[in-house]
Amino acid sequence: MFIQSLLLVALALGCSCKPPNIVFLLTDDQDLLLGGTSPMAFTRTFLGEGGAKLANFFVNTPVCCPSRTTLLSGTYPHHWHTVGHPDCMHMNVTDSIYQESTIGVLMHKLGYTTGMFGKFLNPGGMDPYCYHRERLPGFDTYLAMCNDNQYYNNIFTSNGFMLLTGDEPKDYLTSVIGNATLEFVDASLSSGKPFFAYVAPHAPHVPATPAPWYEDVFKGYKAPRTENYNYSALDHHYVVRMQQPITETVAQEVDLLFQDRWRSLLSVDDITIALVDIIEEYGELNNTYFVLTSDHGFQLGQFRLPSCKLQPYEHDIRV
C-alpha cells in the first residue's frame, strides 16, 4: 500500500529520524471527474498544489464495502468474496486473517499510535464491533459508525462502547468525526509518538445532508453536463442501454443532489483546515503526510444514470 511504501523508502535510505505522522482521509462516494473536489478549496490547494497527485488512481470496484475492504487490506476483493457473508456486500470481513491484515494492525506493529474515525465498513461488516463489543483491530482509539445514510441521530462504537448522537447542530456527523479526530491528534502530538489517523467522513454520500451553517451555499448550481450526460449508449451493457431519457424533473433532482454533495464536502474541508492548524501548532507539519482519496466515484446523469455508482466507467472508478 502507498503508506507502507513511504515507510519502506525511509527505512531503505537509512533514515534515523522520527517516523512521519500520517493522516489518511477517505471520503464516501466523492467523484473526481464531476468537480467533486471543487468545494474543498483549502484541501485542494494544500494537498493538490502543495503535494503530489496520483493522476491515474483507480479503485478496484465501484462498490462500497468491497472497495473499503481492498483499501484496508491492500488486497483485491476476490480474496475475501464469499456467499456466506452477505451483510458487507459478500465480503468476509470477519475472517481473522483479513482482520489481522488491515492497515491499523500493520501501522500499530510499526510503533504508531493509531486512531480511526468515521466509516470503517458498511453496517453489516460492523456487527462484531458494534453489537458484540469486539475491538476494532489495530486501533488504539476509534469512533466508528455503526449505521449510515444519515447525518444525525447516529450510532457509533467508541472504543468498544456504544455512543448515540442526537439531532442538534453539534451532532452533525462530519463535525462529530472531525472533533474526535482532533482530540486524538492533539493527544498523540502531546505524547511525542508518531500517529496514524484514519479519517473517514460519510460525506458526500446520500442524502448528503449539509451542516446547518452551509445550507444556503451553491444555490442554483447544476451538475456538470458532460458529453455522456443523458447519453444513450446502446452498445453498452444492459443496465446502461435500457436507461430512459432524463426528464426535466429528474434533472432538477440531480442538480439538487449535486448542490448538497458540494455543501456536505465543505465540512470535510473544515476537518483538513483544523488538522493542519493543530499539527502546525506542534511544529509537526513538515513531518506529517496527508493522503486523500475516496472509496469510489459517482454518477450524476452520465449514461442516463441519475445518481449512483456501481458502473465500470471512469466517473465511478477514477478517484
Side-chain angles (χ1 to χ4, degrees), residues 13 36 42 70 74 95 109 129 135 147 157 172 179 187-188 200 209 250 256 267-268 285 287 302 315:
L13 294 174
F42 178 84
T70 67
D95 183 274
K109 289 179 179 178
Y129 317 115
R135 285 195 61 85
N147 62 324
T157 172
Y172 181 64
N179 290 335
S188 300
T209 307
V250 172
L256 290 175
S267 296
V268 179
L285 196 56
N287 192 43
Q302 286 62 46
H315 44 76

Side-chain angles (χ1 to χ4, degrees), residues 16-267:
S16 59
C17 55
K18 174 188 173 184
N21 306 305
I22 298 170
V23 176
F24 187 83
L25 185 61
L26 176 67
T27 52
D28 198 345
D29 286 11
Q30 184 179 17
D31 66 88
L32 179 65
L33 299 186
L34 305 179
T37 61
S38 296
M40 299 170 61
F42 178 84
T43 305
R44 191 177 66 252
T45 301
F46 178 70
L47 296 182
E49 297 178 11
K53 296 180 182 178
L54 300 181
N56 290 295
F57 187 79
F58 296 88
V59 296
N60 291 301
T61 175
V63 186
C64 302
C65 199
S67 181
R68 290 173 181 270
T69 301
T70 67
L71 283 167
L72 286 165
S73 64
T75 54
Y76 289 105
H78 64 255
H79 284 101
W80 311 108
H81 180 265
T82 174
V83 296
H85 293 262
D87 291 337
C88 207
M89 301 178 181
H90 298 288
M91 293 290 104
N92 188 7
V93 293
T94 59
D95 183 274
S96 60
I97 297 176
Y98 171 78
Q99 291 177 332
E100 292 303 312
S101 303
T102 52
I103 193 168
V105 173
L106 300 176
M107 297 302 290
H108 199 271
K109 289 179 179 178
L110 290 170
Y112 277 80
T113 299
T114 54
M116 189 278 145
F117 310 95
K119 184 176 178 179
F120 189 67
L121 293 166
N122 289 66
M126 293 299 297
D127 284 353
Y129 317 115
C130 293
Y131 306 111
H132 300 290
R133 298 293 181 90
E134 294 181 22
R135 285 195 61 85
L136 209 61
F139 289 102
D140 298 303
T141 302
Y142 56 89
L143 180 73
M145 294 168 56
C146 297
N147 62 324
D148 61 3
N149 297 335
Q150 60 193 59
Y151 286 70
Y152 291 98
N153 298 304
N154 292 106
I155 305 171
F156 296 90
T157 172
S158 177
N159 300 322
F161 296 92
M162 300 301 291
L163 172 68
L164 280 69
T165 61
D167 55 7
E168 300 295 321
K170 65 180 177 62
D171 297 310
Y172 181 64
L173 176 60
T174 309
S175 298
V176 171
I177 293 168
N179 290 335
T181 304
L182 290 172
E183 290 181 13
F184 166 77
V185 169
D186 189 16
S188 300
L189 290 170
S190 296
S191 72
K193 291 187 63 178
F195 69 82
F196 170 67
Y198 187 99
V199 190
H202 199 25
H205 193 287
V206 293
T209 307
W213 44 93
Y214 289 135
E215 287 178 346
D216 295 327
V217 298
F218 303 132
K219 284 188 174 180
Y221 280 52
K222 292 182 178 292
R225 271 35 176 187
T226 58
E227 290 186 11
N228 59 350
Y229 176 87
N230 202 16
Y231 177 76
S232 178
L234 296 178
D235 60 335
H236 284 37
H237 65 83
Y238 177 83
V239 172
V240 170
R241 69 173 180 264
M242 295 302 293
Q243 293 297 314
Q244 297 300 307
I246 292 178
T247 64
E248 183 58 33
T249 299
V250 172
Q252 291 174 3
E253 293 173 351
V254 168
D255 291 337
L256 290 175
L257 176 59
F258 173 77
Q259 294 167 26
D260 278 341
R261 283 169 59 84
W262 273 29
R263 292 169 183 139
S264 70
L265 285 167
L266 291 174
S267 296

